[in-house]
Amino acid sequence: SAGGGKLLVVPMDKSHWLSLRSPLVALSQKGHQIVTVAPEASSGTEASENYTLKRYPVPLCREELRARV
């Protein structure tokens, strides 16, 4: 069997994040190290024990971001 690798996931707002979570859990269980990055203003990406979530600052608040989408 192959060893797990590293995976960087950058979901976008209004993306298919919900459909990505299930494969990420499966990859994590097979030994992959997963880091997900998302803006602080993002409301769709949530922390999990299966991956590390890193948030980065953006110059917009959630309301401003939603108004632009």
Side-chain angles (χ1 to χ4, degrees):
S1 73
K6 295 182 179 182
L7 179 65
L8 175 64
V9 179
V10 186
M12 305 302 288
D13 273 351
K14 306 294 182 189
S15 72
H16 300 286
W17 175 244
L18 293 175
S19 62
L20 276 176
R21 284 194 279 180
S22 194
L24 291 180
V25 169
L27 287 169
S28 174
Q29 291 171 347
K30 292 184 178 191
H32 294 273
Q33 296 175 349
I34 303 166
V35 175
T36 301
V37 294
E40 289 175 340
S42 174
S43 60
T45 310
E46 299 172 356
S48 170
E49 61 188 30
N50 297 299
Y51 53 84
T52 302
L53 175 61
K54 302 282 186 175
R55 295 212 178 260
Y56 57 89
V58 293
L60 303 171
C61 67
R62 282 189 179 149
E63 292 75 25
E64 291 173 319
L65 187 61
R66 287 182 186 145
R68 292 182 182 208
V69 177

